Amino acid sequence: GEDVEQSLFLSVREGDSSVINCTYTDSSSTYLYWYKQEPGAGLQLLTYIFSNMDMKQDQRLTVLLNKKDKHLSLRIADTQTGDSAIYFCAERGLTGGGNKLTFGTGTQLKVEL
Amino acid sequence: KAGVTQTPRYLIKTRGQQVTLSCSPISGHRSVSWYQQTPGQGLQFLFEYFSETQRNKGNFPGRFSGRQFSNSRSEMNVSTLELGDSALYLCASSPRDRENTEAFFGQGTRLTVV
């Protein structure tokens, strides 16, 4: 079945780059996503990448995909205190069909001054 | 353009009761998915509705059910509530069928079972 794993915590200093990593098992994954969740809030879609791409850049966000190793990363440049949140990676595969997303456990990003 | 609206935002129910949660997707979106978020199990897929039909179902007991109306609004129902049903229930809205790429989430309904 599908499984998505992430490290639980990451702490960075304001202004540095943050890199959040994710691994997945479903080789049929079509799209991979990054969501942000702030305390008491829902999930905010940050960006996504199609499985036949290896990189996507969107302002301060860079997504890297290594399909061979089933490894996804999110780089946040010039990290700010407002970036402190939990970040979830998710994959949508053909196995489940439709719009079912399988989420990782989430990485809590703490940005320190 | 209004986002995904979930009501109510907070609910407190007693064990054994039943509850209904509502989700209004983004205008024009036809797919609605539901997820349960708990500290122990993380985000888990409950089910997806598209054009009033359940298209996909996660591994939850039959106490969890849902439906979708002709205007794409969706409701989920949990009967015979258990303490373990306490969670944040999130609804996601997607534009079309398999070709769509994005799923937008609402703020969630926080259910507490006492």
Side-chain angles (χ1 to χ4, degrees):
Chain A
E2 313 96 11
D3 191 24
V4 180
E5 293 189 357
Q6 300 177 240
S7 52
L8 291 180
F9 299 102
L10 176 65
S11 180
V12 299
R13 290 197 176 190
E14 191 177 40
D16 287 350
S17 291
S18 309
V19 179
I20 303 171
N21 295 302
C22 169
T23 57
Y24 61 97
T25 59
D26 187 356
S27 56
S28 75
S29 293
T30 54
Y31 290 94
L32 295 123
Y33 303 82
W34 285 103
Y35 283 89
K36 175 184 180 183
Q37 187 176 38
E38 296 181 87
L43 299 175
Q44 176 192 353
L45 177 62
L46 291 176
T47 187
Y48 62 91
I49 188 168
F50 186 45
S51 59
N52 71 352
M53 298 169 65
D54 51 22
M55 186 182 92
K56 180 179 181 181
Q57 188 152 2
D58 186 358
Q59 299 182 330
R60 292 192 297 125
L61 305 179
T62 302
V63 178
L64 295 178
L65 174 60
N66 181 328
K67 194 172 181 182
K68 175 176 167 289
D69 294 338
K70 298 190 183 70
H71 182 268
L72 181 74
S73 68
L74 174 70
R75 178 178 179 269
I76 306 172
D78 187 26
T79 313
Q80 302 297 307
T81 54
D83 295 324
S84 291
I86 299 177
Y87 290 79
F88 292 92
C89 70
E91 62 94 19
R92 180 160 74 97
L94 295 175
T95 310
N99 295 312
K100 175 188 175 185
L101 297 179
T102 300
F103 283 87
T105 50
T107 299
Q108 178 147 19
L109 174 64
K110 182 179 177 183
V111 182
E112 298 174 326
L113 296 172
Chain B
K1 200 173 186 181
V4 180
T5 304
Q6 291 189 246
T7 56
R9 287 293 310 276
Y10 302 94
L11 264 179
I12 300 176
K13 289 286 189 178
T14 305
R15 269 183 304 176
Q17 287 187 312
Q18 66 107 23
V19 67
T20 299
L21 312 181
S22 179
C23 173
S24 293
I26 293 170
S27 178
H29 286 196
R30 295 168 62 191
S31 167
V32 173
S33 302
W34 288 89
Y35 293 81
Q36 181 196 65
Q37 185 178 27
T38 60
Q41 299 298 316
L43 279 152
Q44 293 188 290
F45 173 79
L46 279 155
F47 28 65
E48 181 204 1
Y49 286 86
F50 180 83
S51 293
E52 301 177 64
T53 301
Q54 187 180 87
R55 182 159 69 173
N56 226 328
K57 191 176 187 326
N59 295 324
F60 279 82
R63 300 185 296 108
F64 291 81
S65 63
R67 58 178 175 168
Q68 186 179 34
F69 302 94
S70 58
N71 62 358
S72 294
R73 188 177 72 85
S74 177
E75 289 180 346
M76 70 163 279
N77 185 277
V78 188
S79 62
T80 320
L81 283 164
E82 301 176 0
L83 295 179
D85 297 332
S86 294
L88 180 66
Y89 290 88
L90 292 162
C91 152
S93 160
S94 298
R96 295 199 307 266
D97 203 341
R98 293 174 192 278
E99 296 171 13
N100 87 81
T101 56
E102 297 161 311
F104 300 95
F105 283 79
Q107 294 297 296
T109 294
R110 171 78 60 186
L111 172 64
T112 303
V113 182
V114 298

